[in-house]
């Protein structure tokens, strides 16, 4: 299927038969594969993708159990998603693409550096603010037991809503909330609405929910809780850029302690990233003057950051090594 401006959408079969939705922006130059975050879709790249397509071949995909991809009622693991990525790259004829991910997609992008059994890893990757919940020790100034308790509550809060029918207000309520959030962040409401509508699922009894479905969503939460990203960062031997958001996120309704928790976490995370940039020659750390919603808030800045990184690591002798920006 071909959309506006020659953008094409199609499906790719993953190794286990799950159909993965792909959007091909076309373009020429070093190839890029774009991955979105948890509970989001490839629509998050609607502004960044066309900007990158001016200098790159650009493809985006819905992660399994997200958007228009299948797999919502089965197991969800990082290994499966990395295999999905490999299948998409092979189908698109770009096995050497740099993998660029935001949030959960950034975690997947970093894992793609190691590849999967029988397939080589990505030549380079970009992780845009994909840090997960981190370790209790990263929450500077807060007692460990308190952090563990709050992390558990945050996970339970997310799991309680996973794949459940939308509460009062239904889809219209979710769209209204996203419109308000868009106003706060200075993001066009239509962009957020497109992502929400692509995420809608409908149960057999006609009730509407937002993907991922509960089975895959709980597996995804478990996978994110179990990954040690900094162990991964220390063992990578291919260029990796990690970009961090430099502005705090809006407050979370119903969870008044989240602001305190996240402020403490950001302090520890930034200290750890600074040390990583000093000590790990394959890792580059950068900053984006935005909240976690950087793809929608600062699309041109993100596109320039990615393009500049790819240009550096693709240059003769380039490694993107051990530098820090922002």
């Amino acid at each position: 299927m071909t959309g506006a401006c020659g953008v094409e959408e199609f499906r790719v079969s993953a190794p286990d038969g799950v159909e993965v939705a792909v959007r091909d922006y076309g373009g020429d130059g070093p190839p890029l594969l774009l991955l979105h975050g948890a509970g989001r879709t490839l629509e998050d790249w609607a502004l960044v993708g066309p900007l990158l397509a001016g200098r790159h071949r650009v493809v985006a995909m819905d992660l399994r159990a997200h958007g228009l991809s299948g797999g919502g009622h089965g197991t969800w693991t990082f290994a499966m998603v990395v295999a999905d990525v490999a299948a998409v790259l092979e189908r698109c004829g770009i096995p050497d693409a740099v993998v660029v991910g935001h949030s959960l997609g950034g975690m997947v992008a970093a894992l793609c550096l190691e590849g999967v059994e029988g397939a080589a890893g990505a030549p380079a990757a970009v992780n845009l603010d994909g840090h997960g919940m981190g370790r209790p020790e990263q929450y500077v100034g807060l007692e460990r037991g308190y952090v563990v308790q709050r992390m558990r509550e945050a996970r339970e809060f997310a799991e309680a809503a996973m794949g459940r029918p939308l509460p009062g207000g239904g889809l219209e309520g979710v769209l209204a909330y996203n419109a308000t959030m868009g106003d706060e962040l200075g993001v066009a409401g239509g962009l957020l609405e497109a992502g929400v509508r692509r995420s809608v699922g409908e149960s057999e009894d006609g009730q509407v929910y937002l993907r991922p479905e509960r089975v895959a969503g709980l597996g995804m939460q478990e996978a994110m809780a179990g990954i040690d990203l900094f162990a991964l960062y220390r063992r990578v031997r291919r260029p990796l850029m990690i970009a961090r958001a430099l502005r705090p996120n809006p407050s979370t309704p119903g969870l008044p302690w989240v602001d305190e928790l996240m402020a403490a976490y950001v302090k520890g995370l930034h200290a750890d990233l600074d040390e990583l940039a000093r000590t790990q020659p394959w890792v580059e750390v950068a900053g984006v003057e935005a909240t976690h919603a950087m793809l929608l808030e600062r699309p041109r800045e993100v596109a320039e950051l990615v393009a500049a990184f790819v240009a550096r690591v693709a240059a003769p002798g380039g490694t993107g090594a051990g530098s820090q920006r922002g």
Side-chain angles (χ1 to χ4, degrees):
M1 181 175 106
T2 302
C5 303
V7 173
E8 184 182 4
E9 293 211 15
F10 51 89
R11 302 288 191 276
V12 172
S13 292
D16 63 352
V18 166
E19 292 291 302
V20 177
V22 176
R23 177 176 292 174
D24 191 340
Y25 287 95
D28 294 312
L32 305 175
L33 177 66
L34 310 179
L35 308 176
H36 61 81
R40 309 294 301 178
T41 76
L42 57 72
E43 288 290 352
D44 279 359
W45 292 99
L47 297 178
V48 179
L51 293 174
L52 288 170
R55 287 176 276 182
H56 297 273
R57 167 75 189 286
V58 179
V59 174
M61 60 182 272
D62 283 329
L63 299 178
R64 66 169 50 215
H66 291 75
L68 303 184
S69 290
H73 299 289
T75 304
W76 197 106
T77 68
F78 278 120
M80 286 179 164
V81 179
V82 172
D84 295 345
V85 167
V88 169
L89 295 181
E90 181 180 2
R91 164 68 171 75
C92 294
I94 50 173
D96 59 342
V98 174
V99 183
V100 182
H102 173 246
S103 196
L104 170 64
M107 299 162 73
V108 174
L111 285 164
C112 285
L113 293 173
E114 298 184 314
V116 292
E117 185 176 349
V126 178
N127 178 351
L128 299 168
D129 215 34
H131 311 301
M133 292 287 289
R135 308 180 311 277
E137 294 75 22
Q138 285 179 299
Y139 291 73
V140 174
L142 297 181
E143 194 270 328
R144 190 181 193 282
Y146 173 79
V147 172
V148 170
Q149 175 189 344
R150 290 307 195 188
M151 289 173 70
R152 184 183 304 115
E153 291 176 11
R155 183 174 174 182
E156 290 172 352
F157 181 83
E159 291 177 351
M162 194 72 66
R164 300 296 194 194
L166 294 176
L171 180 59
E172 294 308 313
V174 173
L175 292 173
Y177 170 76
N178 276 265
T180 299
M181 184 171 66
D183 289 341
E184 284 186 45
L185 299 175
V187 174
L191 292 171
L192 295 175
E193 179 175 342
V196 170
R197 292 193 181 279
R198 193 176 178 97
S199 294
V200 172
E202 185 173 338
S203 63
E204 292 181 357
D205 59 1
Q207 297 194 78
V208 172
Y209 61 89
L210 296 181
R211 304 190 74 206
E213 286 80 4
R214 188 161 184 80
V215 174
L218 294 177
M220 181 183 72
Q221 289 287 332
E222 183 176 352
M224 288 192 289
I227 191 172
D228 185 343
L229 285 172
F230 278 82
L232 169 66
Y233 298 155
R234 286 189 290 269
R235 67 177 182 261
V236 298
R237 294 297 179 268
R238 295 181 180 185
L240 169 65
M241 171 182 278
I242 304 170
R244 53 191 174 191
L246 300 179
R247 288 171 47 203
N249 291 328
S251 297
T252 304
L255 296 176
W257 43 265
V258 167
D259 291 348
E260 173 197 32
L261 200 69
M262 292 313 301
Y265 173 55
V266 167
K267 287 181 183 178
L269 173 68
H270 285 197
D272 286 349
L273 288 176
D274 290 344
E275 180 182 6
L276 189 73
R278 290 192 302 269
T279 60
Q280 170 54 280
W282 294 96
V283 176
E284 179 176 338
V285 177
V288 179
E289 192 58 46
T291 71
H292 186 64
M294 58 178 63
L295 300 183
L296 302 176
E297 291 179 282
R298 296 287 187 273
R300 190 164 298 279
E301 183 178 345
V302 169
E304 291 294 338
L305 191 70
V306 171
F309 170 73
V310 175
R312 285 194 297 278
V313 301
T319 63
S323 60
Q324 186 170 177
R325 303 171 59 224

